[in-house]
């Protein structure tokens, strides 16, 4: 994890950790580096989600980029994957998305994509950090006649919408579907993507006001959608997060279907069709134990990476795998998109239901999910850095791992996006793993 950039961009409380000056500095550094690499004036596309600080940071990024001689195309409110797609589609040199994803409205963040629509590598982010934090290079401001220009082109999102719709052939079954847009980016695109696909559509939480993104709705509060689906007899519910790069589903019984189960459904469908390259799928160390057992039972190799869809993507690119993602609902279909895309995942799930004729309540049984307990321990940067050498913590983890006797596992890691150390314990006995998780969390608090 870098000094500015975590596992998913630079993120913090807007106007405090992530203020106008920092946003402008990041923009100037990114623009200067790209201008030098290109040997001429680069073009950036810039998108944002619905949080109130988006306008402020958009202006700061545009100012910083144009100051060093980069042109800017403003996309307005769009999903994160739309920025990734439109960078390449519009022939731009880089893309910037202003979002804090699933975090509350007071947070915001900066995600940067390269010309191919992939998130920047660690090395690229470190180069920006060196300029911003260490003044490793002096900012090269553009001459008066080389200052960049800003173009407002918010309707270009229609190219992304059409691309997502083109990933399925024909209309879907007459399913009764409800979408929870989390008062976020999907509020702008969901109706255009799903409305004419042959489903009976209801849309919830698509009235953003700048401060209600992710507020008691969306993928972070999917239990509310689950109650709504069951009470109103929907076939499927789909919940997105603030920037619509993740999706969780709900079946007709009100059962939440997470990313692990969805990826398993997709991988099995691909394998049955003979299109699953390498008979492999990619998850993370946080993927459910049932995810790995599903792979074993179905002749599908599971590759586990560090937490973060950027690491999932790296593995997929390295080996050419087609499907991967995270339990949280970040799912990457590399054939169609260079990053996680919640609306693409939701549409693909409806397509599988339509093609197989099986309800989601049946498809979900493809994977048996082991109980997991997660406990978060508040920890600043200093506490996170001490974790690897905290011997009492690791001794405790070793003791409890032996107690699980191979029927569970323990994972302790610092969050890459929040001031937390996460403790996850998995196993067959919910009471046992709950006790273990809280005991380890207490040990971390006492030690650090």
């Amino acid at each position: 994890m870098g000094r500015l950039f975590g596992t998913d961009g630079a993120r913090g409380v807007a106007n405090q950790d992530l203020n106008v000056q920092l946003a402008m500095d990041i923009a100037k550094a990114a623009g200067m580096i790209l201008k030098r690499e290109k040997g001429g004036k680069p073009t950036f596309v810039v998108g944002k989600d619905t949080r109130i600080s988006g306008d402020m940071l958009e202006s700061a990024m545009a100012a910083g980029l144009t100051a060093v001689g980069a042109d800017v195309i403003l996309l307005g409110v769009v999903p994160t994957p739309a920025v990734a797609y439109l960078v390449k589609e519009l022939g731009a040199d880089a893309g910037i998305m202003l979002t804090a994803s699933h975090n509350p409205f007071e947070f915001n963040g900066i995600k940067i994509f390269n010309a191919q629509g992939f998130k920047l590598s660690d090395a690229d982010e470190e180069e920006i950090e060196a300029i911003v934090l260490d003044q490793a290079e002096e900012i090269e401001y553009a001459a008066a006649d080389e200052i960049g220009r800003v173009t407002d082109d918010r309707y270009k999102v229609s190219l992304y919408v059409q691309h997502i719709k083109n990933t399925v052939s024909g209309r879907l079954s007459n399913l009764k579907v409800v979408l929870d847009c989390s008062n976020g980016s999907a509020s702008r695109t969901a109706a255009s993507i799903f409305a004419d696909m042959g489903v009976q559509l209801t849309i919830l939480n698509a009235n953003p006001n700048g401060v209600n993104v992710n507020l008691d709705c969306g993928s972070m509060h999917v239990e509310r959608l689950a109650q709504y689906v069951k009470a109103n007899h929907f076939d499927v519910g789909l919940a997105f997060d603030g920037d619509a790069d993740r999706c969780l589903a709900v079946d007709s019984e009100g059962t939440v279907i997470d990313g692990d189960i969805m990826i398993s459904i997709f991988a099995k469908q691909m394998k049955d069709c003979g299109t699953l390259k390498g008979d492999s799928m990619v998850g993370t160390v946080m993927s459910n134990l049932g995810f790995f057992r599903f792979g074993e039972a179905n002749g599908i190799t599971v590759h586990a990476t560090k937490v973060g869809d950027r690491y999932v993507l790296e593995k997929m690119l390295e080996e050419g795998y087609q499907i991967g993602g995270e339990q949280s609902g970040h799912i990457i279909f590399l054939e169609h998109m260079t990053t996680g895309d919640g609306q693409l995942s939701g549409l693909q799930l409806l397509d599988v239901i339509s093609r197989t004729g099986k309800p989601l309540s049946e498809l979900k049984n493809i994977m048996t999910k082991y109980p997991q307990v997660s406990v978060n321990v508040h920890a600043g940067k200093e506490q996170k850095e001490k974790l690897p050498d905290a011997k009492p913590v690791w001794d405790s983890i070793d003791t409890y791992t032996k107690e699980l006797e191979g029927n569970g596992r323990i994972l302790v890691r610092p969050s890459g996006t929040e001031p937390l150390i996460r403790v996850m314990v998995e196993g067959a006995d919910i009471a046992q793993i709950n006790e273990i998780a809280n005991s380890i969390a207490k040990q971390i608090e006492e030690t650090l």
Side-chain angles (χ1 to χ4, degrees):
M1 187 171 62
R3 294 175 292 166
L4 281 177
F5 295 93
T7 55
D8 202 15
R11 193 174 296 187
V13 176
N15 239 12
Q16 295 180 32
D17 311 311
L18 183 56
N19 56 32
V20 167
Q21 187 62 58
L22 180 57
M24 194 179 300
D25 289 344
I26 291 173
K28 286 188 286 189
M32 188 176 75
I33 291 169
L34 201 55
K35 183 179 179 181
R36 182 170 58 222
E37 291 177 352
K38 184 177 181 179
K41 178 173 286 191
T43 298
F44 284 72
V45 296
V46 178
K48 59 186 176 182
D49 68 14
T50 58
R51 56 197 76 219
I52 195 170
S53 58
D55 293 348
M56 176 185 74
L57 295 177
E58 176 188 66
S59 298
M61 299 301 290
L65 290 169
T66 53
V68 297
D71 286 336
V72 176
I73 299 174
L74 299 180
L75 301 174
V77 173
V78 293
T80 287
V83 172
Y85 176 75
L86 289 171
V87 168
K88 191 172 182 180
E89 183 69 14
L90 298 179
D93 300 291
I96 293 173
M97 179 65 185
L98 303 171
T99 180
S101 190
H102 59 282
N103 292 145
F105 84 92
E106 59 266 28
F107 289 85
N108 214 325
I110 300 171
K111 298 181 184 181
I112 306 179
F113 297 90
N114 65 20
Q116 288 73 47
F118 297 113
K119 290 177 183 176
L120 291 190
S121 66
D122 290 342
D124 290 334
E125 291 181 344
E126 287 167 5
E127 188 174 2
I128 294 173
E129 288 175 342
I131 294 173
V132 174
L133 299 178
D134 305 328
Q135 288 78 50
E137 297 182 48
E138 188 174 338
I139 296 297
E140 300 169 6
Y141 289 98
D145 60 345
E146 294 179 351
I147 293 171
R149 304 295 297 269
V150 178
T151 304
D152 192 313
D153 208 342
R154 296 165 194 267
Y155 296 102
K156 282 292 191 290
V157 71
S158 63
L159 299 174
Y160 161 78
V161 167
Q162 192 57 50
H163 170 68
I164 299 302
K165 292 168 69 172
N166 288 344
T167 64
V168 298
S169 56
R171 292 168 67 80
L172 305 175
S173 300
N174 190 31
L175 299 168
K176 191 177 178 185
V177 178
V178 57
L179 309 179
D180 184 341
C181 294
S182 200
N183 292 312
S185 294
S187 303
R188 185 177 180 200
T189 53
S192 298
I193 292 173
F194 292 90
D196 63 350
M197 299 303 292
V199 299
Q200 298 179 48
L201 188 65
T202 297
I203 296 180
L204 305 176
N205 300 311
N207 296 292
N209 62 12
V211 298
N212 62 356
V213 60
N214 301 316
L215 181 62
D216 297 328
C217 59
S219 62
M220 290 302 292
H221 301 279
V222 70
E223 69 281 352
R224 290 175 176 266
L225 179 63
Q227 294 169 0
Y228 187 90
V229 167
K230 187 174 182 180
N232 294 280
H233 309 291
F234 282 89
D235 297 308
V236 181
L238 300 174
F240 308 117
D241 66 336
D243 66 335
D245 68 349
R246 67 170 71 179
C247 173
L248 295 178
V250 175
D251 71 8
S252 59
E253 299 168 351
T255 303
V256 176
I257 314 299
D258 67 15
D260 286 345
I261 299 175
M262 290 174 68
I263 295 167
S264 298
I265 291 171
F266 296 137
K268 181 64 164 59
Q269 181 70 15
M270 290 177 179
K271 189 170 191 293
D272 290 347
C273 295
T275 60
L276 186 65
K277 185 171 180 180
D279 285 341
S280 293
M281 61 184 185
V282 182
T284 75
V285 292
M286 286 290 286
S287 297
N288 193 274
L289 184 58
F291 187 70
F292 298 92
R293 298 281 167 85
F294 157 80
E296 294 169 3
N298 289 274
I300 297 174
T301 302
V302 180
H303 303 270
T305 72
K306 292 189 293 184
V307 174
D309 64 338
R310 65 186 302 157
Y311 303 114
V312 172
L313 177 62
E314 283 177 7
K315 184 64 177 179
M316 294 174 70
L317 290 171
E318 185 182 304
E319 304 292 342
Y321 300 136
Q322 298 160 294
I323 185 72
E326 300 182 279
Q327 188 180 79
S328 61
H330 278 123
I331 301 175
I332 301 171
F333 289 85
L334 196 52
E335 179 184 357
H336 303 302
M337 189 58 65
T338 57
T339 189
D341 190 322
Q343 291 172 111
L344 172 61
S345 300
L347 191 61
Q348 292 295 317
L349 183 63
L350 298 181
D351 189 49
V352 173
I353 294 170
S354 295
R355 285 192 282 142
T356 61
K358 297 178 181 178
L360 184 56
S361 57
E362 179 180 343
L363 289 172
K364 74 181 180 192
N365 296 324
I366 198 168
M367 188 195 108
T368 300
K369 188 175 177 180
Y370 280 65
Q372 284 182 333
V373 171
S374 295
V375 178
N376 293 327
V377 180
H378 185 81
K381 184 177 180 181
E382 184 179 343
Q383 284 75 36
K384 290 181 180 181
E385 290 174 347
K386 289 180 180 178
L387 180 62
D389 299 319
K391 189 175 184 298
V393 173
W394 298 108
D395 286 346
S396 179
I397 291 171
D398 288 341
T399 298
Y400 284 122
T401 297
K402 292 174 183 175
E403 182 180 316
L404 289 170
E405 298 179 329
N407 291 314
R409 61 189 180 123
I410 301 168
L411 182 65
V412 175
R413 66 177 187 87
S415 169
T417 59
E418 297 177 86
L420 301 171
I421 291 174
R422 303 190 190 280
V423 180
M424 188 278 286
V425 184
E426 193 172 51
D429 187 333
I430 187 66
Q432 179 189 33
I433 63 175
N434 188 64
E435 180 181 344
I436 291 172
N438 282 288
S439 177
I440 293 174
K442 184 178 180 181
Q443 182 70 67
I444 292 172
E445 289 176 340
E446 293 175 350
T447 304
L448 302 182

